[in-house]
Amino acid sequence: MSGPLLAIDNLQVKFSRNEDEVCAVNGVSFSINENETLGIVGESGSGKSVTLMSSIGLLRENGKITAGTAMFQGRDLLKLKPKQLEDIRGRDIGVVFQDPMTSLNPVMRIGDQIMEAMLTHHYVSRKEAFERTLHLLHEMGIPDPKARFKNYPHEFSGGMRQRIMIAIALACEPQLLIADEPTTALDVTVQMQILALLQELRSKRGMSVVMVTHDFGVATNFCDKIIVMYGGQIMEVAKTEQFIRETAHPYSIGLKRSIIEVGQRGKEIMPIPGVSKSLTEIPTSCSFAPRCSFATERCLRELPKLRAFGGDHQIACHHAEEVVSLAK
Ligand SMILES: Nc1ncnc2c1ncn2[C@@H]1O[C@H](COP(=O)(O)OP(=O)(O)OP(=O)(O)O)[C@@H](O)[C@H]1O
Ligand code: SF4
Ligand SMILES: [Mg+2]
């Protein structure tokens, strides 16, 4: 296939909240290629989940997509009917959520839940689905798959439940896996095991992964490309090595500086001083300006657009060149 596997262009998502309308995602564009792992980082409320979930039709009732396209295999996901999206989700695009307990059915045996994922999409026959489920459980590192097939979600640890969620997401061998903070709720050892498993499966199957994470260490260790979001917009996009070498957006620089090391816990994003701007107005200035030490009068009157900053590096900042030279 030529071109990206998924290309999101100018996505805008709004929510109605009481009397207000909140613009949670404003003009987000990015793409993911085959065999690529993309990490989306940014503080809480920056629009990471809404960006991903709205593009696959998992938007809350009070939300609406007001602009944009999300091209996947030649089709715009944003124009598809709910049933068509259901067919794509689970078959071509696997989804892993942060908390497996809210996504797994507590009264259904886990083996049946994995089989159901295959049978719903008429992926294989019932007999094949059973064999494949045992194989998947084995691949996920769940010991004694035949016995564990019959267990219910509460009979597993958090890490094992997350593995089961991944097994369900991978049941139909999707080309793209969307994982929204797949390991945040887990302790660090289990987190590392799951990420290593995901990486192994990704290279074995040649699939692409978009992963939302709060953890910079996870993003830089596991992803080929990094997107930094702030206030519903993309602030920086770069290949990981480029991002490590030449972080250019004041917000990303702040995030990198605020990384803390807590023993083995890895590198977590800590808040940067200041408050985020309200999302009720569509910004006409840089949304990071109230917290930015590089802000000028131009930043207050002109919204910086995402622009090329050498090679594949993109940045939404009027003064990135000066910022980089000062940061050196
Ligand atoms: N159903 C909703 N109704 C109103 N506002 C919403 C709704 N869902 C999300 N939002 C708002 O949209 C913005 C982006 O939310 P989103 O969940 O994408 O953030 P996030 O970057 O994933 O944060 P986190 O790291 O906490 O998961 C937030 O300001 C949030 O309050
Ligand atoms: S555009 Fe201005 S306010 Fe925004 S990040 Fe760049 S320097 Fe800071
Ligand atoms: Mg989220």
Side-chain angles (χ1 to χ4, degrees):
M1 193 183 77
S2 62
L5 180 62
L6 172 70
I8 293 185
D9 188 40
N10 194 30
L11 180 69
Q12 188 182 64
V13 182
K14 291 182 179 172
F15 289 101
S16 43
R17 199 161 53 185
N18 306 324
E19 302 291 284
D20 281 333
E21 200 166 59
V22 178
C23 188
V25 173
N26 187 22
V28 162
S29 304
F30 68 90
S31 61
I32 173 160
N33 296 320
E34 279 183 6
N35 245 318
E36 192 171 52
T37 301
L38 174 68
I40 305 185
V41 295
E43 64 193 46
S44 190
S46 55
K48 306 178 299 290
S49 300
V50 172
T51 296
L52 288 184
M53 295 306 153
S54 61
S55 63
I56 51 170
L58 296 175
L59 195 55
R60 291 272 161 84
E61 268 172 21
N62 64 331
K64 62 174 188 284
I65 295 168
T66 43
T69 55
M71 300 304 296
F72 179 75
Q73 296 179 328
R75 292 202 285 177
D76 182 1
L77 299 178
L78 308 188
K79 292 210 169 64
L80 298 184
K81 299 205 163 62
K83 176 76 186 73
Q84 292 172 304
L85 275 168
E86 253 173 56
D87 285 345
I88 289 179
R89 266 193 329 259
R91 192 189 59 208
D92 304 304
I93 302 178
V95 190
V96 181
F97 301 95
Q98 183 177 340
D99 179 7
M101 267 329 242
T102 57
S103 325
L104 290 172
N105 183 342
V107 293
M108 193 173 175
R109 303 186 308 177
I110 60 101
D112 291 328
Q113 297 190 49
I114 302 172
M115 273 182 69
E116 191 187 43
M118 295 177 212
L119 297 173
T120 306
H121 294 286
H122 309 291
Y123 187 63
V124 282
S125 68
R126 179 162 282 277
K127 187 171 175 301
E128 273 175 283
F130 178 69
E131 292 302 327
R132 277 184 54 81
T133 297
L134 295 183
H135 178 70
L136 261 171
L137 287 172
H138 170 74
E139 239 186 336
M140 293 304 135
I142 294 177
D144 199 0
K146 252 191 182 146
R148 296 303 254 162
F149 182 105
K150 299 184 191 120
N151 288 141
Y152 292 89
H154 73 269
E155 296 173 279
F156 291 86
S157 66
M160 286 294 166
R161 281 198 288 265
Q162 197 56 298
R163 285 168 195 255
I164 294 160
M165 273 298 296
I166 296 172
I168 293 173
L170 298 183
C172 298
E173 305 202 344
Q175 285 146 288
L176 176 64
L177 183 73
I178 290 184
D180 192 354
E181 308 213 22
T183 57
T184 308
L186 306 172
D187 74 55
V188 77
T189 318
V190 181
Q191 180 177 11
M192 286 307 145
Q193 285 168 358
I194 303 247
L195 288 167
L197 174 70
L198 266 181
Q199 206 168 37
E200 186 193 318
L201 292 168
R202 184 195 85 110
S203 56
K204 207 156 97 185
R205 291 164 182 241
M207 68 179 176
S208 305
V209 179
V210 185
M211 182 159 55
V212 170
T213 174
H214 264 107
D215 192 319
F216 247 74
V218 167
T220 49
N221 280 313
F222 289 91
C223 302
D224 305 312
K225 198 158 88 178
I226 293 180
I227 286 181
V228 178
M229 284 193 74
Y230 180 82
Q233 288 172 280
I234 292 181
M235 293 296 172
E236 187 158 7
V237 184
K239 293 246 169 73
T240 304
E241 60 275 19
Q242 213 167 20
F243 187 80
I244 294 169
R245 204 176 53 241
E246 193 174 61
T247 313
H249 194 286
Y251 176 61
S252 318
I253 292 173
L255 279 183
K256 258 170 89 174
R257 284 212 186 112
S258 64
I259 284 169
I260 51 153
E261 304 228 17
V262 187
Q264 294 297 302
R265 186 70 189 90
K267 299 174 172 64
E268 292 202 347
I269 295 170
M270 288 292 282
I272 296 174
V275 284
S276 311
K277 264 190 99 181
S278 154
L279 296 174
T280 47
E281 299 149 43
I282 303 255
T284 50
S285 59
C286 175
S287 53
F288 189 56
R291 299 165 79 183
C292 182
S293 53
F294 297 94
T296 62
E297 187 266 330
R298 182 183 175 197
C299 307
L300 300 175
R301 66 176 154 77
E302 193 185 327
L303 176 76
K305 293 214 166 73
L306 198 63
R307 62 181 168 99
F309 188 71
D312 297 333
H313 199 163
Q314 287 176 290
I315 188 133
C317 172
H318 295 308
H319 304 300
E321 288 74 7
E322 296 114 273
V323 171
V324 165
S325 65
L326 284 170
K328 272 181 182 158

